[in-house]
Amino acid sequence: MRPWLRHHRQALALALRRIGAQRSAALLNAIVIGVALALPAGGYALLANLEAATQRIAYEPQLSIFLRQEAPRAEAVALGARLKADARVREARFVPREAALKQLRATETLADVVAALGQNPLPDAFVIRASNPAPEALEALARDLRRLPAVAHVQVDSDWARRFNALATVGRSAIGLLAALLAVGLIAVTFNTIRLQILTQRAEIEVSRLIGATDAFIRRPLYYLGLLQGLAGGLIALAILRIGLAALNVGVADFSATYGSSFRLSYLELGDALAVAAFSAVLGWLGAYLSVSKYLREIHLI
Amino acid sequence: MISFSSVSKRYPGGQEALKEVSFGVAQGEFAFVAGHSGAGKSTLLKLIPAIERPTSGTVLVNGQNVGALGRSALPYLRRNLGLVFQDQKLLYDRTVYDNVMLPLAFSDHPPKEAARRARAALDKVGLLARERANPIQLSGGEQQRLAIARAVVNRPAILIADEPTANLDTESAADILAIFAAFNQVGVTLLVATHDEAMIGRHAKRVVRLAAGRLTAS
């Protein structure tokens, strides 16, 4: 085996032995890191889920056109022809008031309400897809349609999706900020762990230096220790996330069932999960690097 | 092999430990560094592996000016020197065997060769049977022999020992000196600091004598 590879293997083995020698302390540290990381990672997972759920709608904006309640069917047919002729309309679907009522009646919880109404309160409607999904084009189209005498109300269905996207941007910034703050915390935890480790091993470090160990030889196991602790913390964060999302999904399943949906929160994608673990490991290494640089100099043995 | 020329060492605070010391040690030589406590023996020995650096003058080891070596070059200088420290600096969190393995961990020996060398070094100082013991379980003389085994495991050409027989009874001290003599016979250069005049008297070796930081005989 090449010497440098052997040195790294030795350093890794040494770091693992040291963790083994203080299992409970190492576990507690990893849990602290894991809990801290689970917060931004969980926020990210929830946001990603919500974004995925809204994306379809956001990218295929619809306009709903509701006619006046008293408008005769002939007016609706005329409007349908007009919409088909409009180049800005890619597709127009007519929803007659009877069909809308039937759909409403089919909704279990609303059936009684509908029965109590006596007459159909719903207007005829069109659901249209625009050729140009740009928000300005949609607004212009909606404005023109509102002027038509048969039309009572035009609703741009993508509005809430756009609002959500704007809100999600705020959410992403907040999660980023939280992640940055907790990253500093993670570095501090590792910094302190490595400081204690250096104090514990002071005699060994001192004598190693006196009899010919290079700085790299002394630093390497400490770096690995920080890296491994960060990695363990990252894995714990992923485990917390998995358990947490599974617990949330019990409630989500009940909730989405009331909307006839089978929506579930999905876990982090493999790439994202790997990124969390790698991020944590790198921060652990960084904490170790800072600690080693400071305290080995402080012990100051040439 | 080792050469001091006009070496002075003043510690921060003004204490002058060595004053204008000049002498040389040839390859294969066995020399005592004698003098009372505080005469500068330890300082003189520490200048050779550059644990301390001279305030003025030069210390040459194998032609290399060790006082001027950069920090990154020091490990390679020290690996070629066997150092036995006054306080031994044994590690009590591991076995006798692992103490001897320590210097081999950072030199580039394959594991099998390292294990062979560690056992050979322990054998030379008569501690092979105690390799699984913890240093704390060893007697004073055995601990000193362990420190020597660790110093010679990399087969250095120069062995430097600071008060290796302090606190030892006469018999244990004689064992240590016999081990040193054996190394010297196979060509190792030895520099041994001691304040034990009786011991110096029993061995007809060269004596580098210090008094209050000045060389009085070499």
Side-chain angles (χ1 to χ4, degrees):
Chain A
M1 206 188 299
R2 289 160 197 274
W4 69 265
L5 194 61
R6 189 166 64 237
H7 287 160
H8 275 275
R9 216 183 62 166
Q10 270 177 356
L12 183 61
L14 198 58
L16 286 170
R17 266 210 303 283
R18 285 173 188 162
I19 290 172
Q22 14 189 308
R23 268 184 294 270
S24 49
L27 184 66
L28 281 175
N29 278 326
I31 288 174
V32 168
I33 293 169
V35 169
L37 272 181
L39 288 174
Y44 174 80
L46 287 180
L47 203 64
N49 268 296
L50 286 174
E51 279 182 325
T54 56
Q55 215 150 42
R56 241 169 306 132
I57 304 158
Y59 285 128
E60 277 194 35
Q62 295 181 340
L63 290 181
S64 298
I65 304 165
F66 299 100
L67 273 60
R68 280 182 293 107
Q69 181 78 36
E70 67 281 6
R73 180 57 46 91
E75 256 186 86
V77 174
L79 180 61
R82 199 202 136 100
L83 288 172
K84 282 213 170 69
D86 196 324
R88 295 175 295 177
V89 176
R90 184 158 64 87
E91 182 196 320
R93 185 163 55 89
F94 180 54
V95 184
R97 48 194 307 208
E98 299 80 19
L101 185 69
K102 202 171 154 194
Q103 208 182 335
L104 206 58
R105 213 177 263 138
T107 311
E108 206 176 314
T109 47
L110 291 176
D112 293 343
V113 181
V114 173
L117 284 173
Q119 59 164 15
N120 188 352
L122 302 171
D124 286 332
F126 284 93
V127 175
I128 67 173
R129 293 213 165 125
S131 318
N132 181 358
E136 307 78 43
L138 285 174
E139 278 308 323
L141 180 57
R143 214 167 32 243
D144 287 351
L145 291 171
R146 275 190 198 110
R147 289 204 197 98
L148 299 173
V151 174
H153 181 67
V154 177
Q155 192 181 317
V156 184
D157 290 344
S158 64
D159 268 5
W160 71 272
R162 278 198 288 138
R163 281 192 204 110
F164 173 80
N165 270 346
L167 225 94
T169 309
V170 176
R172 263 197 298 274
S173 308
I175 288 169
L177 199 65
L178 186 68
L181 281 174
L182 291 168
V184 172
L186 194 159
I187 291 173
V189 168
T190 318
F191 186 89
N192 198 43
T193 308
I194 301 301
R195 183 183 70 90
L196 291 174
Q197 188 64 44
I198 290 172
L199 291 180
T200 311
Q201 279 171 248
R202 205 190 158 114
E204 180 182 352
I205 291 172
E206 197 180 322
V207 72
S208 296
R209 270 198 172 158
L210 287 174
I211 61 181
T214 56
D215 278 358
F217 180 85
I218 292 167
R219 286 163 171 255
R220 234 180 266 126
L222 295 166
Y223 290 161
Y224 271 110
L225 199 62
L227 190 85
L228 288 173
Q229 184 176 284
L231 184 64
L235 294 177
I236 287 178
L238 290 174
I240 291 174
L241 204 59
R242 175 125 206 162
I243 294 165
L245 285 175
L248 282 181
N249 261 340
V250 175
V252 167
D254 288 347
F255 179 69
S256 56
T258 63
Y259 284 87
S261 154
S262 59
F263 177 75
R264 297 283 182 282
L265 296 171
S266 51
Y267 301 114
L268 284 184
E269 282 173 30
L270 182 65
D272 286 340
L274 288 177
V276 168
F279 178 67
S280 183
V282 166
L283 288 181
W285 176 85
L286 185 62
Y289 176 80
L290 295 173
S291 192
V292 164
S293 301
K294 177 170 164 55
Y295 290 104
L296 283 190
R297 190 149 303 159
E298 216 155 84
I299 289 181
H300 194 66
L301 296 152
I302 322 174
Chain B
M1 192 147 220
I2 301 172
S3 146
F4 279 61
S5 43
S6 311
V7 173
S8 296
K9 172 68 186 177
R10 185 192 298 273
Y11 284 106
Q15 184 207 345
E16 195 159 31
L18 290 177
K19 292 165 199 161
E20 296 288 322
V21 170
S22 301
F23 73 99
V25 179
Q27 184 164 1
E29 214 175 336
F30 184 154
F32 285 114
V33 179
H36 296 296
S37 302
K41 303 189 295 293
S42 287
T43 300
L44 186 145
L45 293 190
K46 281 178 182 167
L47 290 171
I48 298 166
I51 294 168
E52 296 291 350
R53 308 216 182 207
T55 313
S56 63
T58 52
V59 179
L60 297 179
V61 176
N62 285 328
Q64 206 171 22
N65 182 356
V66 298
L69 282 181
R71 189 185 153 82
S72 58
L74 294 182
Y76 306 98
L77 164 72
R78 290 175 186 169
R79 283 177 203 178
N80 292 322
L81 301 170
L83 303 178
V84 180
F85 303 99
Q86 194 164 10
D87 57 355
Q88 296 165 353
K89 298 194 189 296
L90 300 176
L91 298 175
Y92 297 98
D93 63 348
R94 61 198 72 193
T95 62
V96 163
Y97 175 78
D98 287 335
N99 266 276
V100 180
M101 283 295 277
L102 186 69
L104 295 165
F106 39 80
S107 53
D108 288 332
H109 300 297
K112 267 189 191 161
E113 168 70 5
R116 206 182 59 71
R117 281 186 175 220
R119 297 228 157 78
L122 283 171
D123 193 28
K124 274 183 208 148
V125 300
L127 283 179
L128 195 52
R130 309 295 311 269
E131 69 170 32
R132 291 282 144 227
N134 187 287
I136 208 87
Q137 297 168 284
L138 303 181
S139 70
E142 285 172 327
Q143 288 188 1
Q144 195 57 259
R145 271 145 53 196
L146 173 56
I148 293 167
R150 188 182 64 192
V152 300
V153 73
N154 263 330
R155 298 178 188 165
I158 302 171
L159 184 59
I160 295 161
D162 195 356
E163 296 282 5
T165 58
N167 309 319
L168 294 187
D169 55 62
T170 321
E171 200 178 321
S172 303
D175 286 347
I176 302 289
L177 260 295
I179 290 167
F180 284 160
F183 283 125
N184 185 232
Q185 277 198 337
V186 294
V188 177
T189 307
L190 273 112
L191 204 52
V192 179
T194 182
H195 66 275
D196 185 347
E197 295 294 337
M199 191 181 75
I200 295 169
R202 279 194 295 276
H203 299 83
K205 303 288 182 195
R206 179 179 167 201
V207 180
V208 176
R209 194 171 292 280
L210 288 169
R214 287 191 187 281
L215 204 63
T216 55
S218 68

